[in-house]
Amino acid sequence: MKIIPNLTLALLLATSSVAAYAHEQADELCSELGSFLTSVKPDETRSLTLRTFWGARVEGDHIVMGSKTCEHHNYEPGEKLCAYLMEHSSTEFAGFNAKRILNCLAFAPGIGQDLDIHSGTFSATFGSQDRGALVSLDVLPDKEPGEMVLRLQADGY
C-alpha cells in the first residue's frame, strides 16, 4: 500500500523540478529579451528571426536531425538575443519558444503549462506608456515540412 504514496511523492517532486527548471529558464530569457526590447529607440523598428527544423533530412553528405538559425540583421542587441536563443531554445517545439517569450511579456501568472502553441500571431507592449515597444511575435510553419519560423519585432515608441 505504500507504493501509491511513494509514487505520488515521486511525481510531485519531478513536477516541481520541471516547473522550477522552466521558471529558471524563463527568467533568464526574460532578462535577455528585456535587454533587446529596451535597446529599441523611439521610432525605430528592430527584429530577429529564429528558424528551427526538426526531423531527418540530408544536408551534403550528413543526415541532420534538427537545426536552428537566428537572423539578427546586424543589430548587436539582436545578435546577443540570438546567441542566447541558439543555445537555450527548443529546436523541436517552436511554440514552446513563443510561449516563453509571451510569458516574459505577460503580467503574472502568464500562460498556463497546458497550453500548446502550434502557430499564431501575437502582440503585446513592453515598457511604460511613455517609453517602450510594441512587440509582434509570429510563430509559423516555414518553407519545408518540419521547419518553423519565430519572428520577433519591436517598434519603439
Side-chain angles (χ1 to χ4, degrees), residues 92-104:
E92 185 178 3
F93 302 109
F96 180 70
N97 300 328
K99 189 159 95 171
R100 286 180 65 204
I101 290 170
L102 291 171
N103 274 326
C104 292

Side-chain angles (χ1 to χ4, degrees), residues 72 85 89 91 155:
H72 50 77
L85 290 170
S89 66
T91 304
D155 296 307

Side-chain angles (χ1 to χ4, degrees), residues 141-155:
D142 208 359
K143 301 168 193 148
E144 300 293 325
E147 293 180 346
M148 293 294 288
V149 62
L150 184 145
R151 287 188 191 94
L152 175 69
Q153 179 175 308
D155 296 307

Side-chain angles (χ1 to χ4, degrees), residues 1-86:
M1 293 297 156
K2 289 189 176 191
I3 292 174
I4 291 175
N6 289 342
L7 179 59
T8 302
L9 179 60
L11 288 172
L12 285 173
L13 291 173
T15 303
S16 298
S17 297
V18 169
Y21 176 74
H23 180 70
E24 181 179 300
Q25 281 215 333
D27 285 348
E28 192 175 307
L29 171 60
C30 294
S31 174
E32 297 291 332
L33 177 64
S35 293
F36 171 76
L37 295 174
T38 300
S39 74
V40 180
K41 295 176 178 61
D43 300 320
E44 182 177 67
T45 297
R46 298 294 182 171
S47 65
L48 64 83
T49 304
L50 177 68
R51 295 180 191 281
T52 57
F53 165 73
W54 185 252
R57 69 178 169 197
V58 177
E59 289 187 7
D61 57 349
H62 297 13
I63 295 177
V64 175
M65 291 301 295
S67 64
K68 284 189 263 192
T69 62
C70 193
E71 303 157 15
H72 50 77
H73 311 290
N74 296 316
Y75 183 57
E76 188 177 331
E79 182 176 10
K80 186 176 180 210
L81 181 55
C82 272
Y84 175 83
L85 290 170
M86 289 297 291

